[in-house]
Amino acid sequence: MVDEDEGVSGSTEVSIGELIEQRLSRRGVLFGLAGTAAATALGGGVAQAQKSGPSSFTFTEVPHVNDPTHHVPDDYEVQILIRWGDPVLPGAAAYDPTKQSGAVQALQFGYNNDFLGLHPLPLPGPGGGSTTGDRFLMVVNHEYTNSNLMLAGIGEGREARLRADQPQAEIEMAAHGGAVIEIAREGRRWKVVDGSRYARRIDATTPMRIAGPAAGDARMKTSADPTGTKVLGMFNNCAGGETPWGTWLTCEENFYFYFAGDGARHPDQVLAKRYGLGRTVSYAWGKYFDRFNFDKEPNEPNRFGWIVEIDPYDPQGTPVKRTALGRFAHEGCHHAVAKDGRVVCYMGDDSRMEYVYKFVTAKPWNPDDRAANRDLLDEGTLYVARFDDGGKVVWLPLLHGQAPLTAENGFASQADVVINARRAGDLLKATPMDRPEDIEPNRVNGRVYVALSNNSSRKPEQVDAANPRAKNDHGHIVEITPKDGDHAATEGTWEILIAGGQPGKHEGANYHPATSADGWLTCPDNVAFDSKGRLWIATDSAEQAGIADGLYACDVTGEGRALTRQFFAAPKGAEVCGPIFTPDDRTLFLAIQHPGEGKGSTFETPSTRWPDFKDGAPPRPAVIVITKKDGGPIGS
Ligand code: FEO
Ligand code: CA
Ligand code: CA
């Protein structure tokens, strides 16, 4: 996304003493490469182009390109599963770009598909469930709209959204949120099941419940909801996750773009400043709906920026905002199960100089009684991470009443802590990171992978071992090893797995030295693992380095550790989102988001018409299916 992630951190003031200490200890900066490979890479060695070598992957690499279509290795195939505007609900109109309205869009697949989750059918449980892996509920986030590519005659860029009339605003609101679709495999192909009783669209107007410590708090009350427990809709849902009991966790990221108003006049200046209210307004919704104007409804923004739990198996169920997990620009929410059965959710706040978090439930989850887990996410401990220069990570609890999160510092309750989680993190001296995106535990090796996208605003005096580059244009990936292999542990160790950019060209770029000229990447965003625990990395914003966004495969153990290889290249303007494998590794789904985004690209003159390539038709975000032509596992 081109206009996301403005940094508003209040966390970057460091004393001179701290600076000197950091600089000294930085000399021992850790890189997660083994032996001589690390030495070569750190010495600035240029990666040698080679197609074979120590990698466990056998596919032929896709070259770095930047053109109107997608690319996979020759022996792989791409199928389009569903596109923006395709029917989802009964009675939905077929896609017709000249006949969009809010009501039409509300029944169709939304825009800018991001997170993808797979929930097996039938529902797994003590009584059995799907074992074939041939039928799933796919859950999909619809993050934002490129309105200028959706609609004719409205011009370019963000301004096209700010000039919206009410019908355009209604289309945008209905194109946000998420979708549930039922999908089934026939041979190597997948289809969307028509008329599924599970099909669902969720958008910026869907009624939701607010639960957890902030529910009912004074700062959650509005004129439409004096209880502070009911809210309409979700938006800017970026990445996500799922719970062990099969619900979907969808993450509200850059919610502040949707609220108009004068930030300097907001009644709560501490909160307004820390979340950048009014700094970047990208939509005109506030002109037509008072709740999107915080001059009129100052508390409405407090009801966004949460993790939303949705049960895809219950199409009538009310989505729930789980406030115990904190309020910030939530990127994703992947879980692991601690040794004692408690559930641990890893989360990133994707803005410059923001933090990495985890939430640990108070109680273990119950695998034998799905209903018993219904409100498990309402009780537990939210932690924020401090990455020490010596390679240790410490998880600091964000608990009201425990210094410094006390009334004297403005935290009168746990509601105050979760609503202003960013400031709570500041006071605990968490480590400001280079835009924490997806954070995902690897079920094979028990480690946790943190994608850090980039951070153009980090100054030289602000670098630390975990964020070792000033003006970090290319991002990096941090690997965390929880202490004693327990995700509930409040300590662990960390190291950098790879540092993005082109070796030999971009300072600090760092991979296994056998990484080829096509294997380097920039701006890691979403990550996934295949069943062997190998890491797949999707990127967002690679065009700034002259290449398309892509998907890269990377071993995390053995001789090929930190050797990235390009598997997929996206069409022009698109980022790659939502990578997810079927349990047999024979299908890879990707969400191709915002094809054709970029300067000068409009409905009339888009930079690509992917995936339909139909004259006069705009590009359409779409979910794609990648299989190997011989039916074998992806990547092999
Ligand atoms: Fe919406 Fe952080 O990517
Ligand atoms: Ca993302
Ligand atoms: Ca992104």
Side-chain angles (χ1 to χ4, degrees):
M1 181 177 183
V2 289
D3 58 358
E4 68 183 349
D5 313 309
E6 302 278 334
V8 290
S9 176
S11 60
T12 52
E13 294 137 38
V14 226
S15 74
I16 293 292
E18 283 172 315
L19 274 179
I20 293 167
E21 199 177 76
Q22 284 173 9
R23 283 198 175 142
L24 288 174
S25 57
R26 200 166 65 238
R27 298 197 179 146
V29 64
L30 293 175
F31 273 91
L33 301 178
T36 53
T40 311
L42 284 169
V46 178
Q48 301 141 26
Q50 61 181 72
K51 295 288 182 199
S52 57
S55 172
S56 73
F57 295 94
T58 58
F59 64 84
T60 304
E61 262 194 296
V62 165
H64 277 319
V65 287
N66 190 15
D67 66 25
T69 196
H70 58 249
H71 300 268
V72 284
D74 280 346
D75 45 349
Y76 288 79
E77 214 163 52
V78 172
Q79 180 204 339
I80 307 297
L81 182 70
I82 189 168
R83 301 157 294 187
W84 162 59
D86 283 339
V88 170
L89 292 171
Y95 172 67
D96 179 344
T98 66
K99 292 191 181 141
Q100 278 304 102
S101 70
V104 167
Q105 175 66 75
L107 305 180
Q108 297 174 329
F109 199 61
Y111 206 77
N112 274 346
N113 34 218
D114 196 302
F115 174 75
L116 302 177
L118 293 175
H119 297 257
L121 278 176
L123 171 67
S130 169
T131 50
T132 62
D134 288 339
R135 190 171 281 259
F136 294 93
L137 294 178
M138 173 178 271
V139 298
V140 185
N141 286 3
H142 296 301
E143 188 184 20
Y144 70 105
T145 54
N146 292 88
S147 308
N148 61 315
L149 295 171
M150 298 165 73
L151 300 166
I154 64 167
E156 225 191 291
R158 197 170 84 204
E159 296 68 28
R161 296 186 298 223
L162 290 171
R163 287 191 301 264
D165 56 13
Q166 187 166 337
Q168 179 184 329
E170 286 171 359
I171 293 171
E172 291 168 346
M173 290 168 75
H176 277 69
V180 181
I181 54 174
E182 183 174 342
I183 61 169
R185 174 154 57 185
E186 286 169 358
R188 271 197 300 120
R189 297 188 70 76
W190 287 83
K191 64 165 193 195
V192 177
V193 176
D194 281 340
S196 168
R197 71 181 184 89
Y198 298 105
R200 188 169 189 184
R201 270 303 321 282
I202 290 147
D203 64 24
T205 66
T206 305
M208 304 196 173
R209 182 164 71 85
I210 298 168
D217 186 80
R219 284 199 275 180
M220 301 295 273
K221 295 178 180 172
T222 63
S223 48
D225 172 30
T227 70
T229 59
K230 289 180 278 188
V231 61
L232 296 179
M234 62 182 196
F235 39 83
N236 215 268
N237 292 72
C238 194
E242 68 291 302
T243 61
W245 51 97
T247 56
W248 167 26
L249 300 175
T250 174
C251 302
E252 298 180 316
E253 195 189 31
N254 298 297
F255 60 92
Y256 24 74
F257 290 175
Y258 297 80
F259 294 95
D262 181 355
R265 290 203 336 234
H266 192 277
D268 187 336
Q269 279 299 297
V270 173
L271 196 59
K273 280 197 180 127
R274 193 60 187 82
Y275 287 79
L277 279 193
R279 244 182 67 150
T280 308
V281 181
S282 300
Y283 292 83
W285 302 359
K287 274 192 221 166
Y288 310 109
F289 305 96
D290 283 354
R291 69 188 182 106
F292 292 109
N293 181 336
F294 61 77
D295 290 340
K296 294 177 181 164
E297 285 293 345
N299 285 344
E300 187 72 1
N302 298 341
R303 294 141 62 86
F304 295 85
W306 303 104
I307 299 289
V308 185
E309 184 178 12
I310 299 172
D311 186 352
Y313 298 99
D314 179 8
Q316 271 76 50
T318 303
V320 185
K321 297 200 176 185
R322 298 292 181 190
T323 65
L325 283 76
R327 174 172 170 267
F328 42 89
H330 276 288
E331 169 72 23
C333 191
H334 288 287
H335 79 273
V337 177
K339 286 185 172 174
D340 59 8
R342 288 180 293 161
V343 177
V344 182
C345 297
Y346 289 95
M347 303 175 286
D349 181 353
D350 181 9
S351 265
R352 298 176 196 125
M353 314 304 270
E354 292 300 344
Y355 305 133
V356 165
Y357 297 80
K358 76 175 177 185
F359 176 79
V360 184
T361 58
K363 297 188 190 111
W365 83 284
N366 185 339
D368 302 318
D369 181 3
R370 188 167 191 255
N373 304 304
R374 193 167 45 213
D375 295 319
L376 200 71
L377 296 179
D378 288 341
E379 219 185 309
T381 306
L382 180 64
Y383 296 87
V384 67
R386 193 187 73 215
F387 292 86
D388 291 343
D389 281 4
K392 182 173 162 187
V393 58
V394 181
W395 296 97
L396 308 158
L398 297 177
L399 281 174
H400 167 252
Q402 202 166 302
L405 305 181
T406 53
E408 305 82 77
N409 288 322
F411 295 97
S413 65
Q414 189 62 19
D416 287 343
V417 172
V418 294
I419 291 170
N420 199 346
R422 284 181 168 176
R423 184 161 174 268
D426 298 344
L427 296 189
L428 284 164
K429 298 193 182 305
T431 303
M433 307 296 286
D434 288 347
R435 289 188 48 193
E437 301 256 21
D438 219 357
I439 303 176
E440 190 154 345
N442 181 335
R443 308 225 184 281
V444 174
N445 70 4
R447 294 178 174 177
V448 182
Y449 294 79
V450 183
L452 299 157
S453 200
N454 56 66
N455 184 354
S456 54
S457 60
R458 186 177 294 274
K459 298 183 180 75
E461 64 271 24
Q462 293 173 320
V463 302
D464 55 34
N467 302 275
R469 287 189 282 191
K471 198 177 177 321
N472 178 5
D473 289 330
H474 302 287
H476 54 288
I477 293 181
V478 167
E479 180 189 61
I480 296 172
T481 305
K483 191 175 182 187
D484 302 324
D486 190 352
H487 290 279
T490 54
E491 276 184 32
T493 56
W494 66 268
E495 52 186 75
I496 292 177
L497 177 71
I498 58 140
Q502 183 174 4
K505 182 170 178 189
H506 301 130
E507 200 180 332
N510 191 26
Y511 311 81
H512 190 295
T515 301
S516 86
D518 295 315
W520 63 270
L521 61 88
T522 177
C523 303
D525 188 336
N526 298 123
V527 297
F529 301 95
D530 57 29
S531 69
K532 294 175 180 155
R534 301 181 299 181
L535 177 66
W536 296 72
I537 307 159
T539 72
D540 171 14
S541 299
E543 280 184 9
Q544 51 138 356
I547 59 172
D549 276 312
L551 182 75
Y552 297 80
C554 178
D555 287 315
V556 292
T557 55
E559 290 293 303
R561 176 174 160 86
L563 200 171
T564 52
R565 306 183 81 224
Q566 190 176 15
F567 178 78
F568 176 85
K572 197 155 182 54
E575 72 171 279
V576 181
C577 299
I580 188 164
F581 293 87
T582 48
D584 61 9
D585 287 340
R586 287 167 201 273
T587 303
L588 166 65
F589 296 98
L590 296 178
I592 305 306
Q593 192 188 90
H594 59 73
E597 183 176 272
K599 207 168 161 40
S601 186
T602 64
F603 182 98
E604 290 78 13
T605 56
S607 60
T608 175
R609 295 186 190 277
W610 186 93
D612 301 339
F613 294 104
K614 211 167 130 193
D615 285 347
R620 299 166 75 185
V623 177
I624 66 170
V625 174
I626 300 178
T627 54
K628 201 169 178 208
K629 288 177 183 166
D630 68 5
I634 306 289
S636 293

